[in-house]
Amino acid sequence: MAKVPSAVVAAGGLVGGYGMARWTGKRQLGGVVLAVAGAAAAQQWRQQAGGKAAGALTAAYVAAFAGSHPLAKKVGAWPAVFGVAGAVAVASWAVADRQG
């Protein structure tokens, strides 16, 4: 079975977390999606690129989540979420997935 690239897992966590929170009206459910995907991506990052890279990418993932909130006030919620998810996906691919 083919492994899902960590870039897809991380971007999916950001988009899926926001979507879950928005469509259910329950921010906690969105947080669960965000956390589970982030943990799965972090595990892949650690396996593919090592602990330091995993730490940096995890910090980027959390920063993207936090940064999407003020960005949403300027460009709208979905564009902000897609923008930060894309940025995390590119970083993940460059640091971890490209090597594998």
Side-chain angles (χ1 to χ4, degrees):
M1 186 165 152
K3 186 161 113 175
V4 177
S6 63
V8 174
V9 174
L14 289 162
V15 173
Y18 175 69
M20 178 67 75
R22 175 146 182 165
W23 291 318
T24 64
K26 299 193 184 302
R27 294 177 70 176
Q28 299 86 349
L29 288 178
V32 168
V33 171
L34 182 79
V36 168
Q43 183 177 13
Q44 285 184 261
W45 293 329
R46 192 171 27 264
Q47 290 171 350
Q48 294 170 326
K52 287 184 182 180
L57 288 168
T58 300
Y61 183 80
V62 172
F65 167 69
S68 69
H69 292 83
L71 183 59
K73 292 179 181 180
K74 296 181 185 292
V75 300
W78 280 113
V81 170
F82 285 129
V84 300
V88 168
V90 168
S92 180
W93 176 82
V95 173
D97 295 333
R98 179 174 57 159
Q99 298 172 6

